[in-house]
Amino acid sequence: MKDERNVRHRRTAGVRWQPVAILLAAVLMVLSVPLGLRSAHAIDLNQNCSLTVNPGNAMLAEDLAKANVVIDLYRVADAAPVTGYDTYDWAMTEPFSSITIDKNIDSEGWKTAAQQAADIVLGTAPDGETEWDPSAAADAIDASLKSTGNKAGEKIEGLDAGLYLIIAHSTDADGNNDPEKYAAAAADGTVTIADSPTYRYKFAPELVSLPTKKKDDSGVVNTANPGDWIYDASGEYAVTLKPSQEVRVGSLEITKTLVDYAQREKEVGNARIIKDPATFIFEVTAYEKEGSENVILHDYVSIVFDSYGSKSVLIKDLPVDSYVVVKEAYSGRVYSTDTDKDATILADQNVGVEFENEYEDREPGGGSVTNRFSYTEKDGWEGSTQVADDTEESIQNPIQQLNPNNNN
């Protein structure tokens, strides 16, 4: 029986997958071997089996331990004896009877079968959604066909011989499923989710057949391989999952509040309201973590006011645990400048920093200026002076259209 545990690149909706990504079916390709040709003990389908599922390889083990990964097993097919041969076939259970497993099935066929089984257990994404709560569909599976909530890396015992669907996902500290972080739609099938504080892991469904055999020299599991049947698929025979790993992110929200706003009224002929558009510029520096000198983001953002009140700007997709320092780099001459703020980014949350400024009763000096030139028929354009747009001189001497009939 061929071991179809391969690694593929996967892509979720709107997210690029890393190369560590995918799990395929780990199953036995059933070959008919006459009993008289086998030196090992004949298969006993009445013997209970056991299975250990590791959530990832040794490189991921430390972080995965923080993700509260549990393993759910669903018996997709019972092992059925084949008369006169030391092997077995599969008899599909309900509600998996619609799944067909051909005797010449290849790796793509196993992947398809695993996805079909997962769709039955988890349901499919609602229209317009990429993540959903599969609890209702999973609860509908007969209790005799499932063993759920098993801690990843621990032996699951008392399993009947057959073909099992492996679903890995995370729970909260009390062992309850988080509906928003359980099932998700990927580009080519359903995945399940487990979150550590800093990474999100996505698992593709996998099929495993029990009992199993040792791998041959090529790493292939086949019923024709020498040796006894293995009823305890643990230790060197354990299944190791190959999830994708994505850095979790959060957002920083910068809020600016103006207690008062620089708006004046000047009487020059008709009353005229003078507004001083207030532009505030913030320097944003994000470090890998607090205390680190490794800068992962340095940028400037602005907020513009035309009245008093509060406004915000949101900076998205900052890595979890990054440490962000926000400095009010510009506030104009007529507004006070607030002190620097800092924050640590949390997963899937908006972390906020707030700035507050008051209007200081001074002559405005920020904003734009007007360059004034003089024009005469004799000398043409000459000289220039700079006039702030909201000053008395600007009001009394508005810009005129010079020499409208002059082609020069």
Side-chain angles (χ1 to χ4, degrees), residues 285-289 294-298 318-319 322-323:
T285 306
Y287 299 89
E288 187 175 31
K289 60 182 179 179
N294 183 23
V295 176
I296 59 176
L297 171 74
H298 183 251
L318 294 171
S322 57
Y323 177 70

Side-chain angles (χ1 to χ4, degrees), residues 36 75 87 96 187 204 213 216 248 250 261 287 313 339 352 356 390:
R75 196 168 74 253
T87 189
F96 304 102
K213 298 286 287 187
D216 62 18
R248 298 181 69 188
Y261 176 71
Y287 299 89
V313 62
T339 57
E356 184 176 291
D390 53 9

Side-chain angles (χ1 to χ4, degrees), residues 65-117:
K66 305 172 186 177
N68 295 323
V69 181
V70 296
I71 303 298
D72 296 342
L73 296 181
Y74 297 86
R75 196 168 74 253
V76 173
D78 292 322
V82 179
T83 304
Y85 295 89
D86 186 25
T87 189
Y88 61 90
D89 204 346
W90 292 296
M92 308 307 293
T93 61
E94 290 291 343
F96 304 102
S97 57
S98 60
I99 300 174
T100 300
I101 299 179
D102 187 83
K103 66 179 180 179
N104 296 318
I105 191 169
D106 58 11
S107 61
E108 284 300 311
W110 281 120
K111 186 182 74 171
T112 298
Q115 283 295 331
Q116 289 174 336

Side-chain angles (χ1 to χ4, degrees), residues 352-374:
V353 293
E354 297 184 359
F355 292 81
E356 184 176 291
N357 301 73
E358 294 185 359
Y359 172 56
E360 297 183 343
D361 192 13
R362 297 181 296 186
E363 287 296 320
S368 62
V369 297
T370 299
N371 289 310
R372 292 196 176 281
F373 296 83
S374 302

Side-chain angles (χ1 to χ4, degrees), residues 375-381 403 406 408:
Y375 178 86
T376 66
E377 295 257 349
K378 179 182 177 181
D379 298 319
W381 295 102
N403 301 309
N406 191 324
N408 293 327

Side-chain angles (χ1 to χ4, degrees), residues 122-134 179 183-185 190:
L122 303 175
T124 54
D127 291 341
E129 299 292 334
T130 58
E131 297 182 10
W132 72 98
D133 179 3
T190 298

Side-chain angles (χ1 to χ4, degrees), residues 35 67 72 99 154 167 206 225 232 336 350 363 366:
L35 284 169
D72 296 342
I99 300 174
E154 294 187 355
I167 297 292
E206 181 174 356
N225 290 353
D232 178 16
S336 62
N350 291 346
E363 287 296 320

